[in-house]
Amino acid sequence: MNIEIESLIDAKYRLHAGETEPWDLFVSAYNDSERVQRVFTTVPANKRAWWVLPEYAYGAGEISHLENAVHLEAGHEDEVVTRGMREIGFDSSQRLCVDITGMMRPQILFLMAYLNDQGCRSFDLLYTEPEHYKRRAETRFSIGEDVEVRSVAGYIGAHENDVNGDLLVLGVGYDHQLISHALQAKEAARILQLHSFPSLSADMYHESILRLHRVRSERSRIGDEVYFSSANDPFVIASSLATAVDTVSKHRQITNIYLTPLATKPQAVGFGLYYLRHLTKRPASMIYPNASLYDRETSKGVGRSWVYPINL
């Protein structure tokens, strides 16, 4: 099924328990956030399963109370997701919903590519917004200084040797440490910033800008091109990316494109949609600064839950 992204704008809808037909299978990544745990029990589904991701470093005793939980070992996103889908007995004929709220962005991206390759081109993704982040502008999501910037499995293109026209599309989020690593990995690239505005809440855009200003060593590079898009609608984000990259290409030659979504999880979905629809045959890749550990609870409260119908 090949549906234009623009036709899916406003396709997202609010999750209301009891008003949605049950999914055959619902999968969620476990962490300590209320917005992950509370929603898990309310989503209508015939079968539910937890993924316990290695980035949260839960011990066996900490998750012994969970039913139908798959404790996944450390690995790259393709290894983690492939094993997770196999362990829960996923069948491409099932009506699937995956809660991406607690997942890592590379895992979300690979999941989309994996399902597409498996012939499951229609599925739903769920995301629940926080009321606010735990430490506001001081919230840190990744833990430690051990960060590896690498391509995301399923999003690796054949690149040109000429790097003079390289473009790094940076989805600006809270974690300034990861932003810095991404910028350093592509030192020769021109930067296109995509900010989430309107943001999930009135204060979050301001908080993300405060964090961006801490990337002091790269300050001279991060003002090149600035665009804005939704924080919670991946279809709008994908369309905005297409417009932004097309606009840049009209003013200068683009040799290679690198995408790095570091804002909301829905932004990562939007980046994935854009790549899978427009960039698979171009010299383009998704790159991500991967940390080995992440905070188990970065948010407070439970905001709106959105369902994103994905058709690839």
Side-chain angles (χ1 to χ4, degrees):
M1 184 180 297
N2 187 12
I3 301 174
E4 288 301 316
I5 292 172
E6 288 75 9
S7 69
L8 293 173
I9 291 176
D10 294 330
K12 75 179 191 301
Y13 61 91
R14 292 280 298 276
L15 175 70
H16 295 290
E19 298 180 12
T20 303
E21 180 183 351
W23 283 277
D24 296 325
L25 177 61
F26 174 65
V27 184
S28 181
Y30 181 80
N31 66 21
D32 290 354
S33 298
E34 181 185 6
R35 61 184 173 133
V36 169
Q37 296 187 19
R38 185 194 295 182
V39 170
F40 185 81
T41 60
T42 64
V43 171
N46 297 325
K47 179 182 177 181
R48 308 168 195 273
W50 284 114
W51 281 356
V52 182
L53 300 176
E55 289 83 359
Y56 293 129
Y58 283 105
E62 296 177 284
I63 58 169
S64 59
H65 64 287
L66 298 179
E67 295 183 5
N68 202 19
V70 178
H71 200 165
L72 296 166
E73 297 178 357
H76 288 185
E77 59 278 353
D78 53 335
E79 299 167 323
V80 172
V81 170
T82 301
R83 183 181 172 220
M85 297 301 281
R86 183 175 65 246
E87 291 290 328
I88 61 175
F90 170 70
D91 183 318
S92 60
S93 66
Q94 292 175 311
R95 185 166 176 260
L96 173 69
C97 180
V98 179
D99 188 347
I100 62 172
T101 308
M103 292 179 68
M104 306 299 120
R105 289 163 185 80
Q107 294 163 358
I108 296 169
L109 290 164
F110 179 75
L111 174 69
M112 295 170 64
Y114 171 85
L115 290 172
N116 187 39
D117 288 343
Q118 294 295 309
C120 180
R121 296 186 173 88
S122 295
F123 52 91
D124 295 313
L125 300 178
L126 172 69
Y127 176 74
T128 301
E129 300 172 357
E131 288 186 354
H132 61 84
Y133 289 118
K134 186 168 60 175
R135 298 182 60 206
R136 303 289 183 174
E138 300 303 318
T139 303
R140 186 165 180 176
F141 298 83
S142 59
I143 299 173
E145 304 298 326
D146 184 15
V147 175
E148 177 192 13
V149 180
R150 55 177 170 79
S151 298
V152 178
Y155 298 82
I156 304 173
H159 289 275
E160 304 287 347
N161 292 327
D162 181 6
V163 299
N164 290 324
D166 282 8
L167 179 69
L168 174 62
V169 182
L170 185 69
V172 176
Y174 273 60
D175 207 325
H176 68 281
Q177 177 196 15
L178 298 188
I179 292 174
S180 180
H181 280 283
L183 292 170
Q184 291 170 21
K186 295 298 173 186
E187 292 182 333
R190 191 171 183 88
I191 311 303
L192 188 161
Q193 296 179 53
L194 187 70
H195 290 264
S196 297
F197 190 83
S199 54
L200 296 181
S201 68
D203 53 352
M204 288 182 183
Y205 172 70
H206 177 64
E207 291 168 3
S208 70
I209 293 299
L210 290 176
R211 297 299 293 268
L212 180 63
H213 285 171
R214 297 181 185 180
V215 189
R216 296 185 181 90
S217 63
E218 305 291 336
R219 185 77 59 82
S220 63
R221 297 179 57 214
I222 59 178
D224 291 358
E225 307 276 355
V226 180
Y227 292 83
F228 299 90
S229 189
S230 168
N232 66 6
D233 193 325
F235 309 113
V236 172
I237 293 164
S239 181
S240 298
L241 279 172
T243 299
V245 173
D246 183 60
T247 300
V248 171
S249 68
K250 291 177 180 178
H251 293 90
R252 66 183 66 87
Q253 180 186 12
I254 298 176
T255 50
N256 300 296
I257 302 173
Y258 299 94
L259 306 177
T260 304
L262 291 172
T264 62
K265 307 293 175 66
Q267 185 192 75
V269 175
F271 273 55
L273 285 172
Y274 171 61
Y275 186 99
L276 293 173
R277 290 293 182 82
H278 296 287
L279 298 182
T280 55
K281 296 181 180 180
R282 295 184 63 180
S285 292
M286 198 85 68
I287 64 170
Y288 198 85
N290 292 269
S292 57
L293 293 174
Y294 281 79
D295 196 314
R296 297 175 181 178
E297 184 180 14
T298 57
S299 62
K300 293 295 184 182
V302 181
R304 299 170 296 183
S305 292
W306 295 103
V307 178
Y308 305 118
I310 305 299
N311 295 280
L312 297 173

